[in-house]
Each structure stands twice: as structure tokens, then as C-alpha cells.
């Protein structure tokens, strides 16, 4: 009879113990892994012998056979345990690695399993790509081999779906009138309900306005002093007694010619 799928491939098997998985630590992880209900644990190993004799794990170096050691620790979630065959106190051959993540025990895949899985995924994708490409090829005795993407139903449905998506995206954008109208409404709302200005920014704005007003006032004073004739001629102010051209013209009386208002003498007619 064929074996179950879990027994054929141990990479699909996981194990955990709800009673001890919450209290895992580097000191208790080996006891957690060496429980009899763990399918990855080999009961005929040196660790089980030491447990029965109540000895420490340091005696494993003096024994020969299969053993389990704690290889790597990344507290509080990751523990790596190695199964190896010890030949001498200084020589051991690795057999398998197991990792515990959050209390769940898994078998680490070997390099051959990883390469086989990646190659199988690559070949499967290439096969589907070749099958799809071959469905587009057409042969005619006069033209030879050509590509026909229009007659393919799947491609046509896909193109129709893309057109619908593009048209829906255009409709969602809105017209220019709608965009301008919305911008106008937002500006009107912002003018009626301005956002509150923090006190610090308000003080800075007031200081900037005061500095700007002072600068404008100084510029106006400089321009007035430059255009005033009383301050020209190197700052010498003319005397008050010397009449200005305008006052001189006002003092001179205009000349008016006398006009004789008498009527002209009448001419006598000679008889």
C-alpha cells in the first residue's frame, strides 16, 4: 500500500505542543524537542539514553551514535536543532536540521530539495508560456508561419477588459468644467472658513507687515525729499524775502490797453 503523503515527504510535516510552547527558552528547548510525540525525534539516540540516566548533555561528546544538539538560538522565537552522527569527541557528521518558530517544529529542506523545487517551478512556468505562445501561431502554405493575436478569444477578452478599464478611468477623471467648478467652490469655502493660524505664525506675520510698512514709509520720505525743490541746491533753502518766480509773476500787474467806449462821430451828408 502507498504510504501517506506526510510520510513520503517530511517537509510537509509540522509538530507543536501547546503545553510547553509558551515557556520555550534555550534551557528548555531540547526537552521540548525530545518529547516522544515529536515525529522528528528518534527515540533510539544518545539523547534518550542520557535522559533515562539523568545525565547532562555534556556526556554526548563521549558517546558514539545519533544525537541532537542546539545549533543556533535567536530568542525568543527561533531555535535550530541539528541531528548528527558522532564518530568521536571531535568528529560528527550532520544528518538533518530542524527549526522551531513560535513553538512550531519543521524540518529544514536540504539543498537538493530547494534546487529541485526551483527547477520544477521554472519548468512549469516555461511550459505554460510555450503553450500560450503556440496557441497564437498560424500556418499558411503561401505565407508560412504567422502570429494571430486577434482571433484568440482569451486575448480579445483581455483587450476588451483593458479598454473598459481605460474608459472607466477617463470617466472618473471628470471634465474641465467640473474640475474648475470644484476648485472655485473649494476656494470660496476656504475664504469663508479660513483655517486657524497658530499664535506664533500670526505674530511673525504681524512683524513682517510692520517691517514692510516701515520700509514703504522710508521709501516715500526719500522720494519726497528728492523731488522737493526747497531741499535742492545742496540743501540750501532760499530766503523768504527773495520772491520766487511764481510770486513775482503774481506781483506784476497785467497791462491792459485803454478802450474808448465813445461812439464814432456821425458823418454829415452833403446836400
Amino acid at each position: 500500500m502507498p504510504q501517506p503523503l506526510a510520510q513520503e515527504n517530511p517537509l510537509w510535516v509540522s509538530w507543536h505542543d501547546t503545553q510547553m510552547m509558551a515557556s520555550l527558552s534555550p534551557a528548555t528547548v531540547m526537552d521540548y524537542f525530545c518529547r516522544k510525540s515529536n515525529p522528528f525525534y528518534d527515540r533510539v539516540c544518545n539523547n534518550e539514553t542520557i535522559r533515562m540516566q539523568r545525565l547532562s548533555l555534556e556526556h554526548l561528546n563521549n558517546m558514539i551514535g545519533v544525537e541532537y544538539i542546539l545549533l543556533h538560538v535567536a530568542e525568543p522565537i527561533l531555535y535550530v536543532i541539528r541531528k548528527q552522527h558522532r564518530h568521536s569527541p571531535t568528529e560528527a557528521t550532520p544528518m538533518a536540521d530542524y527549526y522551531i518558530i513560535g513553538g512550531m517544529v519543521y524540518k529544514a529542506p536540504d539543498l537538493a530539495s530547494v534546487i529541485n523545487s526551483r527547477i520544477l517551478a521554472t519548468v512549469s512556468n516555461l511550459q505554460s508560456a510555450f503553450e500560450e505562445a503556440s496557441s497564437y501561431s498560424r500556418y499558411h502554405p503561401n505565407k508560412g508561419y504567422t502570429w494571430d493575436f486577434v482571433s484568440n478569444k482569451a486575448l480579445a477578452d483581455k483587450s476588451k477588459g483593458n479598454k473598459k478599464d481605460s474608459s472607466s478611468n477617463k470617466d472618473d477623471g471628470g471634465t474641465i468644467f467640473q474640475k474648475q467648478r470644484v476648485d472655485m467652490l473649494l476656494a470660496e469655502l476656504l475664504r469663508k472658513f479660513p483655517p486657524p493660524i497658530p499664535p506664533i505664525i500670526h505674530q511673525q506675520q504681524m512683524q513682517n507687515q510692520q517691517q514692510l510698512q516701515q520700509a514703504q514709509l522710508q521709501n516715500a520720505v526719500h522720494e519726497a525729499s528728492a523731488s522737493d525743490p526747497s531741499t535742492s541746491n545742496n540743501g540750501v533753502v532760499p530766503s523768504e524775502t527773495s520772491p520766487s518766480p511764481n510770486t513775482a509773476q503774481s506781483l506784476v500787474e497785467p497791462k491792459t490797453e485803454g478802450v474808448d467806449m465813445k461812439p464814432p462821430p456821425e458823418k454829415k451828408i452833403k446836400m
Side-chain angles (χ1 to χ4, degrees):
M1 295 178 63
Q3 296 180 352
L5 192 62
Q7 295 181 5
E8 293 180 359
N9 191 353
L11 298 177
W12 299 340
V13 180
S14 62
W15 175 84
H16 69 281
D17 189 351
T18 55
Q19 296 179 358
M20 294 183 61
M21 62 186 305
S23 60
L24 284 180
S25 65
T28 61
V29 66
M30 290 302 300
D31 294 335
Y32 178 76
F33 183 84
C34 294
R35 294 181 67 85
K36 296 181 180 180
S37 59
N38 185 5
F40 303 113
Y41 178 66
D42 188 3
R43 298 179 184 179
V44 186
C45 63
N46 297 337
N47 298 73
E48 189 67 19
T49 304
I50 288 176
R51 289 182 65 186
M52 293 175 64
Q53 297 177 2
R54 297 182 179 179
L55 300 175
S56 62
L57 296 176
E58 297 177 356
H59 292 79
L60 290 175
N61 297 330
N62 300 325
M63 301 178 68
I64 298 175
V66 178
E67 64 181 14
Y68 294 90
I69 61 170
L70 182 60
L71 182 64
H72 179 73
V73 176
E75 293 187 86
I77 192 172
L78 177 63
Y79 303 92
V80 179
I81 296 175
R82 170 168 290 181
K83 179 181 179 180
Q84 60 185 7
H85 189 278
R86 181 167 294 279
H87 305 283
S88 65
T90 58
E91 184 181 359
T93 303
M95 300 176 62
D97 289 337
Y98 305 92
Y99 58 95
I100 304 173
I101 297 180
M104 298 292 295
V105 183
Y106 305 93
K107 182 179 180 180
D110 55 342
L111 184 60
S113 300
V114 174
I115 294 176
N116 290 334
S117 177
R118 299 296 174 86
I119 292 176
L120 181 61
T122 304
V123 171
S124 177
N125 293 331
L126 287 175
Q127 183 67 25
S128 62
F130 284 133
E131 290 178 356
E132 184 177 358
S134 62
S135 64
Y136 299 144
S137 64
R138 300 290 182 271
Y139 177 76
H140 193 271
N142 296 333
K143 298 180 180 179
Y145 286 97
T146 57
W147 298 102
D148 187 8
F149 298 100
V150 179
S151 61
N152 192 294
K153 185 177 180 181
L155 185 61
D157 296 338
K158 186 177 180 180
S159 61
K160 289 180 181 178
N162 294 334
K163 289 181 180 178
K164 289 181 180 179
D165 295 339
S166 61
S167 61
S168 61
N169 293 334
K170 290 181 180 178
D171 294 336
D172 294 340
T175 61
I176 298 176
F177 173 76
Q178 293 175 349
K179 293 179 181 178
Q180 292 178 353
R181 186 67 178 176
V182 170
D183 293 341
M184 185 181 66
L185 293 175
L186 291 176
E188 186 68 18
L189 290 174
L190 185 62
R191 185 181 63 81
K192 291 183 179 180
F193 306 100
I197 301 175
I200 299 175
I201 298 177
H202 183 68
Q203 293 178 1
Q204 292 179 356
Q205 290 180 354
M206 294 296 294
Q207 292 177 1
N208 294 335
Q209 289 180 0
Q210 292 178 359
Q211 293 177 0
L212 182 61
Q213 291 178 359
Q214 292 178 1
Q216 292 179 354
L217 183 60
Q218 292 178 0
N219 293 335
V221 171
H222 287 303
E223 291 178 358
S225 61
S227 61
D228 192 359
S230 60
T231 58
S232 60
N233 299 326
N234 298 326
V236 178
V237 180
S239 60
E240 296 180 356
T241 57
S242 59
S244 61
N246 296 331
T247 56
Q249 291 180 1
S250 61
L251 294 175
V252 177
E253 295 181 357
K255 295 182 180 180
T256 55
E257 296 181 356
V259 179
D260 191 3
M261 301 301 293
K262 295 181 180 181
E266 295 182 358
K267 292 183 181 182
K268 297 181 179 180
I269 299 172
K270 297 181 181 181
M271 297 299 292

